[in-house]
Amino acid sequence: MQTAIITGGTSGIGLATAKIFLAHGFNCVLVGRSQSRFEKIRAELTGNFEFVSADVRKVSDCDKIISRTVEIFGGVNVLINCAGIYHEGAITSVNEKIFDDIISTNVKGTFFVTRAAVDELIKSRGSIVNVASDAGIRGNYFCAAYSASKGAVVAFTKSLALELASFPVRVNCVAPADIWTPLTERQLKLSGETVDELAKIYPLGRIGTADEVAEAIYFLASDAANFITGAILNVDGGLTA
């Protein structure tokens, strides 16, 4: 049985991704900072899964994620780097702590979890799927730090795909736009904007769902995508077309 690690696996896109991989018979390791959050969603999961409490901003925790996965399930076949945080506002609203949290979570975490997993993925001829954003493709208004972090994930994906191709380990990326998650729900409450107003900017006339992004992630990790590496798959309702 194959094993997938999903960072940020206890909510939003990460949780939806875990459910899809479990439905396809994978062992799943859900990674998050909050044990209590995991306990709230545990009943939603069926299959073979474990939770690893870790903070991807810490290199020692990144290493722990992989060592615990190998200890529990014997190896790693798929790594999904989904852990991320979002900040919206003018550049003058971004202090050093906010900036460091964004970069440490979205870039450093993705880099060092991947570094820790590479040897196991080479053994299994596995694959990596990173979660970026439309903001990392084109830049978004009032999102300079977040856009920079997701642009880094895009560049990291392309570079690492070349580095690992000969093993072969495939490295791809999804770039979602606005997706209905608890984070988006909170964001709309803060801004006063409605989901219908937000949907008007999308050619398909709506925002996406976490399940739709999760299905794209599963496709890129699956054998159906065996000749795809270094790809950035836009899951954005036509926004960047």
Side-chain angles (χ1 to χ4, degrees), residues 99-114:
F99 181 86
D100 285 348
D101 279 348
I102 291 169
I103 298 301
S104 291
T105 306
N106 298 359
V107 183
K108 181 181 175 183
T110 296
F111 185 96
F112 281 101
V113 173
T114 302

Side-chain angles (χ1 to χ4, degrees), residues 86 88 138 177-180 184-185 187-188 191-203 205-208 239:
Y86 178 79
E88 187 172 289
R138 63 172 197 162
D178 288 300
I179 303 297
W180 187 250
T184 306
E185 192 174 4
Q187 191 183 327
L188 289 173
S191 68
E193 189 177 18
T194 68
V195 69
D196 289 337
E197 289 169 335
L198 183 60
K200 289 177 182 177
I201 67 172
Y202 287 89
R206 64 177 179 85
I207 68 170
L239 188 66

Side-chain angles (χ1 to χ4, degrees), residues 25 41-42 69 130-131 133 143 156 175 181 187-188 215 223 227:
I41 57 92
R42 181 196 284 270
T69 299
N130 298 318
V131 178
S133 166
C143 288
F156 173 66
T181 65
Q187 191 183 327
L188 289 173
E215 290 285 6
D223 289 345
F227 200 54

